[in-house]
């Protein structure tokens, strides 16, 4: 067996073991080759090398043990470029789990999630099993309020613009199922998470899809504060009957940030009756909050129990791969090019909230537009320096060059120039080593910063300094002193 025969089988095996996002981001860019009787897997840059080595190399080695003959050559991971191959087709060997060839459906994802929780879950009140279509026979003169509330859906918040990852995969599958069959098994649907993780995007995507599938459906998207305000207006004008009739006409009711009606006795009472109407008529109710229903302070106990009787799900913060994918999606929608290293830098240092991540991208994009510079790691570092400063001191190539040049009493131009004398070459190698250790730059990017040098020159510099640190106390002392100077 050759590496060209093994690798497509390995890719197919990895596709079944990893999420689609993990595979496309970390495995698909890998290439292969063969040299001196050894099989080689290449990563295009140093960042991918480190992540693949740490997170996915055991998967690759396990695949080799399962799919390749016992006498197959050793497998090594290197930085470079080799032959790009595609995953094998459906004719995978028996050793590969062929049952996982197709991505699971929404119902399979949901079923697996619910089955995993069934042993500890408290039986809930059964949701209606009938799934009626929305009322299509509505006079035209009654559609204006419904259309007006449907127009509150942001045109950007659709499933097409939503990035799916581990933190929201099941919730997205549920949402898609609801948009196709409103008022069914997942009614009410209660979605909660910390602020800024995409609750509003996901629930509005349900409304958009339902309107696409059933154009005559009536969809209401209302924020908790707006519903509170409408009840207050009804109390002031004594128009509760009109308020009830307004909301009863809808087929899908989305109440975002339901916690805002807590402690408001009359508002909670009105919503209690509205909720019962929707549930009894088998119309879909979708609610969002920052907390579980039982943890919402001041919420009527009757509402808490009703909120919990359908399906309650939590959105988790996006993992690193998902944050990178979100940034790439934002760049695609904005029509700008986001360099890989810049996406990695932003995703690494802006964590937790999708809202913060989007804000960081907008700042970087604006900086690029106003300066006319590409969105690379240098621009991202400069644009976001105040955002990440509290948790991380932004270290740039320029900072490292200044520290190294000052320490060795040479000019910064010497580090990027052509001179190869020992008193210049060794500081240059030290600066390259420190840049590799203290920044997210790839080896080619580091080489480019140091006068357009090749990535192999950077690799040689890193190895040289690493060896000298072991052999020479003076080199190790210089390295540690420079670390302190740069970081402080």
């Amino acid at each position: 067996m050759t590496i060209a025969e093994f690798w497509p089988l390995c890719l197919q095996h990895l596709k079944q073991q990893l999420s689609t996002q993990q595979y496309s981001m970390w495995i698909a860019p890998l290439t292969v080759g063969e040299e001196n009787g050894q099989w080689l897997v290449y990563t295009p840059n140093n960042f991918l090398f480190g992540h693949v080595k740490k997170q996915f190399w055991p998967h690759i080695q396990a695949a080799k043990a399962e799919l390749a003959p016992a006498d197959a050559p050793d497998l090594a991971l290197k930085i470079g470029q080799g032959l790009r191959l595609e995953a094998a087709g459906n004719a995978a060997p028996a050793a590969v789990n062929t049952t996982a060839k197709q991505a699971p459906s929404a119902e399979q994802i949901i079923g697996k999630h619910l089955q995993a929780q069934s042993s500890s879950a408290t039986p809930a009140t059964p949701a209606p099993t009938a799934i009626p279509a929305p009322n299509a026979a509505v006079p035209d003169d009654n559609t204006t309020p419904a259309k007006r509330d449907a127009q509150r859906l942001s045109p950007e918040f659709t499933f097409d613009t939503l990035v799916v990852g581990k933190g929201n995969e099941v919730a997205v599958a549920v949402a898609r199922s609801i948009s196709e069959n409103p008022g069914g098994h997942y009614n009410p649907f209660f979605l909660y998470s910390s602020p800024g993780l995409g609750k509003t995007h996901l629930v509005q995507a349900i409304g958009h899809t339902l309107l696409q599938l059933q154009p005559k459906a009536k969809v209401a998207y209302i924020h908790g504060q707006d519903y509170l305000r409408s009840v207050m207006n009804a109390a002031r004008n004594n128009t509760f009957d009109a308020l009830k009739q307004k909301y009863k006409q809808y087929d899908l009711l989305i109440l975002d940030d339901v916690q805002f009606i807590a402690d408001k006795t009359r508002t909670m009472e009105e919503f209690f009756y509205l909720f019962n109407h929707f549930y009894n008529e088998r119309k879909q109710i979708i609610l969002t909050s920052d907390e579980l229903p039982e943890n919402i302070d001041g919420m009527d106990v009757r509402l808490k129990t009703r909120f919990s009787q359908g399906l309650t799900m939590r959105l988790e913060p996006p993992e690193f791969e998902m944050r990178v994918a979100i940034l790439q999606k934002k760049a695609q929608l904005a029509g700008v090019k986001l360099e890989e290293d810049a996406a990695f830098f932003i995703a690494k240092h802006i964590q937790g909230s999708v809202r913060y991540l989007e804000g960081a991208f907008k700042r970087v994009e604006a900086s690029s537009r106003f300066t006319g510079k590409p969105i690379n790691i240098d621009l991202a570092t400069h644009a976001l320096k105040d955002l990440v400063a509290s948790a991380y001191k932004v270290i740039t190539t320029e900072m490292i060059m200044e520290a190294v040049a000052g320490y060795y009493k040479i000019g910064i131009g010497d580090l990027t120039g052509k001179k190869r004398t020992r008193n210049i070459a060794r500081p240059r190698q030290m600066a390259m080593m420190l840049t590799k250790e203290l920044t997210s730059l790839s080896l080619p990017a580091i080489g480019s910063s140091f006068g357009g040098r090749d990535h192999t020159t950077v690799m040689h510099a890193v190895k040289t300094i690493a060896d000298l640190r072991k052999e020479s106390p003076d080199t190790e002392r210089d390295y540690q002193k420079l670390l302190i100077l740069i970081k402080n």
Side-chain angles (χ1 to χ4, degrees):
M1 175 180 277
T2 65
I3 184 67
E5 295 170 326
F6 160 73
W7 190 241
L9 301 179
C10 181
L11 292 177
Q12 177 68 9
H13 184 83
L14 293 172
K15 266 191 172 182
Q16 297 163 4
Q17 300 297 320
L18 307 174
S19 70
T20 302
Q21 204 158 330
Q22 285 178 319
Y23 180 88
S24 63
M25 183 169 295
W26 303 110
I27 304 302
L30 302 180
T31 55
V32 294
E34 193 167 354
E35 184 179 333
N36 298 328
Q38 187 179 45
W39 286 355
L40 300 176
V41 178
Y42 295 103
T43 66
N45 56 55
N46 186 60
F47 187 92
L48 259 72
F49 176 89
H51 198 79
V52 170
K53 185 74 172 179
K54 181 179 179 181
Q55 299 293 337
F56 302 108
W57 193 241
H59 292 275
I60 295 173
Q61 291 284 25
K64 178 177 179 291
E66 183 174 345
L67 301 172
D71 60 350
D74 292 336
L75 196 61
L77 185 66
K78 289 189 175 183
I79 297 172
Q81 185 67 38
L83 179 66
R84 185 177 299 280
L85 299 171
E86 298 296 328
N90 292 331
V96 178
N97 179 13
T98 57
T99 62
K101 287 175 184 175
Q102 294 183 346
S105 66
E107 292 300 325
Q108 289 172 327
I109 294 174
I110 300 164
K112 182 179 179 181
H113 174 78
L114 295 178
Q115 184 178 8
Q117 294 186 335
S118 61
S119 60
S120 58
T122 303
T125 303
T129 55
I131 306 174
N135 182 10
V138 180
D140 290 342
D141 57 351
N142 289 334
T143 61
T144 302
K147 286 182 177 180
R148 184 168 59 248
D149 284 310
Q151 287 171 355
R152 295 180 182 177
L153 298 174
S154 170
E156 297 178 356
F157 288 167
T158 67
F159 285 119
D160 290 337
T161 60
L162 187 68
V163 176
V164 183
K166 290 181 180 179
N168 67 354
E169 178 185 33
V170 179
V172 171
V174 170
R176 287 187 179 277
S177 178
I178 290 172
S179 64
E180 296 169 0
N181 300 293
H185 297 291
Y186 313 119
N187 194 27
F189 178 41
F190 192 100
L191 189 66
Y192 74 102
S193 75
S194 301
L197 295 186
K199 298 186 296 293
T200 299
H201 188 153
L202 185 55
V203 298
Q204 289 201 21
I206 297 174
H208 279 299
T209 302
L210 176 59
L211 289 172
Q212 289 174 356
L213 297 175
Q214 303 183 42
K216 293 185 179 180
K218 292 184 178 182
V219 175
Y221 168 79
I222 311 164
H223 191 271
Q225 287 181 321
D226 293 329
Y227 183 74
L228 172 62
R229 192 176 298 113
S230 68
V231 174
M232 292 172 62
N233 289 336
R236 185 181 305 112
N237 301 316
N238 195 24
T239 56
F240 279 111
D241 288 341
L243 180 68
K244 288 182 173 67
Q245 292 306 313
K246 171 187 175 181
Y247 286 117
K248 283 183 178 180
Q249 69 175 310
Y250 294 106
D251 304 299
L252 168 62
L253 176 64
I254 304 170
L255 186 60
D256 204 359
D257 285 329
V258 69
Q259 72 271 11
F260 278 96
I261 73 171
D263 284 324
K264 310 300 187 296
T265 304
R266 186 59 192 265
T267 304
M268 290 190 293
E269 181 181 352
E270 288 298 319
F271 190 69
F272 173 76
Y273 292 116
L274 181 61
F275 183 99
N276 286 343
H277 167 78
F278 267 77
Y279 189 79
N280 293 333
E281 294 295 321
R282 297 178 180 178
K283 296 181 176 182
Q284 183 68 47
I285 309 163
I286 299 174
L287 308 162
T288 77
S289 175
D290 295 342
E291 298 281 354
L292 272 168
E294 57 263 33
N295 293 338
I296 302 176
D297 293 335
M299 187 64 73
D300 189 300
V301 175
R302 297 176 302 171
L303 285 175
K304 287 184 179 182
T305 58
R306 279 160 176 75
F307 292 169
S308 303
Q309 72 187 36
L311 180 62
T312 300
M313 301 208 68
R314 178 183 179 183
L315 290 182
E316 300 290 344
E319 72 277 12
F320 177 79
E321 292 91 344
M322 184 177 175
R323 296 198 299 275
V324 172
I326 290 171
L327 291 167
Q328 292 171 335
K329 173 68 78 172
K330 290 294 177 183
Q332 177 186 352
L333 294 173
V336 297
K337 181 181 179 182
L338 176 66
E339 293 190 9
E340 187 178 71
D341 287 338
F344 287 155
F345 174 84
I346 300 170
K348 178 180 178 181
H349 298 295
I350 307 297
Q351 303 180 19
S353 170
V354 175
R355 195 170 294 149
Y356 290 155
L357 193 66
E358 292 175 346
F361 171 76
K362 288 179 181 178
R363 180 186 288 205
V364 171
E365 181 200 4
S367 179
S368 172
R369 290 189 186 279
F370 283 118
T371 63
K373 296 179 180 179
I375 305 180
N376 54 29
I377 192 169
D378 289 333
L379 184 137
T381 300
H382 180 76
L384 302 178
K385 59 184 178 182
D386 58 326
L387 290 182
V388 301
S390 59
Y392 171 79
K393 179 182 178 182
V394 179
I395 297 175
T396 65
T397 306
E398 290 75 14
M399 293 168 57
I400 294 171
M401 288 184 179
E402 288 179 7
V404 171
Y407 185 81
Y408 288 105
K409 296 180 173 55
I410 60 176
I412 293 178
D414 292 328
L415 297 176
T416 59
K418 301 299 183 182
K419 292 182 181 179
R420 301 179 62 181
T421 56
R422 185 178 180 83
N423 68 315
I424 299 298
R426 190 69 75 227
R428 182 186 296 135
Q429 291 174 331
M430 179 68 77
M432 289 181 178
M433 172 69 164
L434 289 163
T435 304
K436 185 256 183 187
E437 292 293 324
L438 299 177
T439 74
S440 300
L441 287 174
S442 64
L443 294 182
I446 294 173
S448 177
S449 298
F450 283 83
R453 288 175 164 81
D454 189 79
H455 75 278
T456 57
T457 302
V458 181
M459 293 174 63
H460 174 71
V462 170
K463 184 178 186 306
T464 298
I465 297 300
D467 291 342
L468 285 173
R469 286 177 60 196
K470 296 175 184 177
E471 302 167 1
S472 168
D474 291 340
T475 302
E476 176 64 17
R477 184 175 61 252
D478 290 346
Y479 181 83
Q480 296 301 332
K481 284 183 178 180
L482 282 164
L483 280 179
I484 295 172
L485 286 170
I486 295 167
K487 289 183 177 181
N488 295 282

